[in-house]
Amino acid sequence: MSFRTPAGRDPFFDNAKFLAITLVVSGHLVEGLREVPAAHAAYFYVYLFHMPLFIVLSGYLSRNFTFSSGKARKLISTLAVPYVIFELVYSLPRLILYGKLDISLLDPYYLTWFLMSLFLWRLSTPVWQQLRWPLAAAVALSLLSGTSRLPDELSMNRTLGLLPFYVLGLMLRPEHFAWLRRRPVRVAGALTLAAGAVVALAVHTRVKTEWIRWRHANDAIGVDDLTGSLIRLALLAAGALLVAAFLAVTPSRRTWYSGLGTATMYAYLLHGLVVKVAERFYGDWATTLPGVAAVAAFGVGLAAVLCTGPVRRAARWAVEPGMSWAFTRLRRPG
């Protein structure tokens, strides 16, 4: 089965996005099986770079963002409105399963934090494009954010902590990706990913999971600010290295999943509903190595299905709502 990629799109980025969403979906499904050592190691490894990868790609594809009417409308219709819709949608399983209804549009729940953070990152794009050393400034903000217990509103810890990956994406140019596609670099990328997996297997039990989630301040994780800043800096470096390695091994040719890569936001926003249901059916069968492998494989298939045309047509009202009725011509001061 193949899915068409719209003319004029570089299949490399669609391939990267689809492969990344398979990691996200499988990672969330495996999260509930972390008592299995292999599952915990895989979870730790994937979380080192799967969202940084998405964020780098988002930054690169946001390089031309301005405050023009067209860009602002897209920002509202593709991020702000879907965020509100899915905050409401994800409140329903909590109500049904746990009898808890708690809606706070400023405090993102579950995976909606990415929409909130991306909205804020994209708004800040013109600022980063005018700084002399934007990446250094973003890293400094990321490290400083770990020294304070920031409020959960606006997902501040993640928004600031992961900011360097977005700014890195803004700074990238086509020639950087062309360099990654060179054969020696691709080989090095494959070796780096393999080495990263070995390291993750060796250290995953000695590193607290909260470090790879970017949700809390240093003292909340149990370390002083100097130690915490060094750990965060190491995680930023490891994430950037693994993102580069992953992109280096990503196919640049058109593949059967290139078309699916144009709709990864559907898989991202919808898969959480399946995960919440699937977790309730995990039994002894799932807490084995074959069981973990089966759950991860199911995640790959689920990601693919959620990017297909029928799902897109059924969920477009929520993921890409038509908002033209809500806009008027850009008003300018008289």
Side-chain angles (χ1 to χ4, degrees):
M1 184 186 307
S2 63
F3 299 85
R4 294 181 59 189
T5 301
R9 291 180 68 103
D10 186 344
F12 170 78
F13 295 104
D14 291 327
N15 292 339
K17 289 194 295 179
F18 177 75
L19 295 175
I21 197 63
T22 63
L23 295 179
V24 172
V25 176
S26 293
H28 277 145
L29 283 165
V30 168
E31 184 175 3
L33 302 173
R34 283 178 293 155
E35 66 268 25
V36 182
H40 192 280
Y43 175 84
F44 177 81
Y45 177 54
V46 167
Y47 266 64
L48 283 173
F49 70 94
H50 75 327
M51 287 313 296
L53 172 60
F54 256 120
I55 296 167
V56 168
L57 292 174
S58 297
Y60 180 75
L61 298 174
S62 300
R63 292 172 301 151
N64 296 322
F65 177 81
T66 64
F67 291 117
S68 64
S69 59
K71 298 292 185 180
R73 292 179 183 186
K74 190 174 181 180
L75 190 66
I76 293 170
S77 61
T78 62
L79 291 178
V81 175
Y83 170 78
V84 173
I85 291 173
F86 279 93
E87 272 291 295
L88 297 174
V89 167
Y90 276 108
S91 70
L92 297 180
R94 281 187 292 178
L95 177 63
I96 296 171
L97 298 175
Y98 310 113
K100 180 181 179 182
L101 181 63
D102 184 14
I103 300 174
S104 174
L105 292 181
L106 294 181
D107 183 5
Y109 172 68
Y110 195 31
L111 48 73
T112 58
W113 71 266
F114 179 64
L115 294 181
M116 172 68 79
S117 295
L118 184 55
F119 182 87
L120 296 173
W121 290 328
R122 200 161 280 171
L123 279 179
S124 71
T125 296
V127 174
W128 301 111
Q129 291 174 332
Q130 296 184 60
L131 292 180
R132 187 180 296 275
W133 300 291
L135 189 56
V139 170
L141 277 176
S142 175
L143 299 182
L144 286 172
S145 70
T147 64
S148 302
R149 295 201 179 198
L150 300 176
D152 293 331
E153 284 74 15
L154 304 182
S155 191
M156 291 305 297
N157 280 105
R158 278 172 167 157
T159 298
L160 292 176
L162 293 165
L163 174 63
F165 294 112
Y166 181 79
V167 176
L168 174 61
L170 288 176
M171 299 300 104
L172 294 176
R173 296 292 178 263
E175 53 267 29
H176 297 131
F177 292 98
W179 181 79
L180 286 175
R181 300 180 195 185
R182 297 173 59 188
R183 183 172 178 79
V185 180
R186 292 170 64 85
V187 172
L191 294 174
T192 299
L193 289 176
V198 172
V199 172
L201 185 62
V203 306
H204 72 97
T205 58
R206 296 196 288 271
V207 180
K208 291 183 178 180
T209 303
E210 283 304 328
W211 285 116
I212 57 175
R213 290 178 172 175
W214 297 89
R215 297 189 306 183
H216 298 296
N218 299 326
D219 66 335
I221 307 178
V223 299
D224 60 82
D225 286 335
L226 177 59
T227 302
S229 295
L230 291 175
I231 293 174
R232 289 172 185 274
L233 191 60
L235 290 173
L236 289 174
L241 179 62
L242 291 172
V243 166
F246 189 90
L247 291 173
V249 302
T250 297
S252 57
R253 66 185 184 283
R254 189 158 298 175
T255 66
W256 65 267
Y257 52 82
S258 297
L260 298 177
T262 66
T264 51
M265 190 59 80
Y266 284 81
Y268 181 80
L269 291 174
L270 295 172
H271 83 273
L273 299 172
V274 180
V275 170
K276 291 298 182 183
V277 173
E279 287 178 338
R280 300 183 68 82
F281 292 94
Y282 289 165
D284 293 339
W285 66 270
T287 57
T288 63
L289 189 57
V292 171
V295 170
F298 171 71
V300 176
L302 176 62
V305 169
L306 293 179
C307 292
T308 58
V311 174
R312 292 160 71 171
R313 288 190 291 273
R316 182 169 287 120
W317 66 272
V319 181
E320 295 180 290
M323 297 296 299
S324 58
W325 56 270
F327 300 115
T328 185
R329 290 189 305 167
L330 182 64
R331 299 186 183 93
R332 300 184 182 277

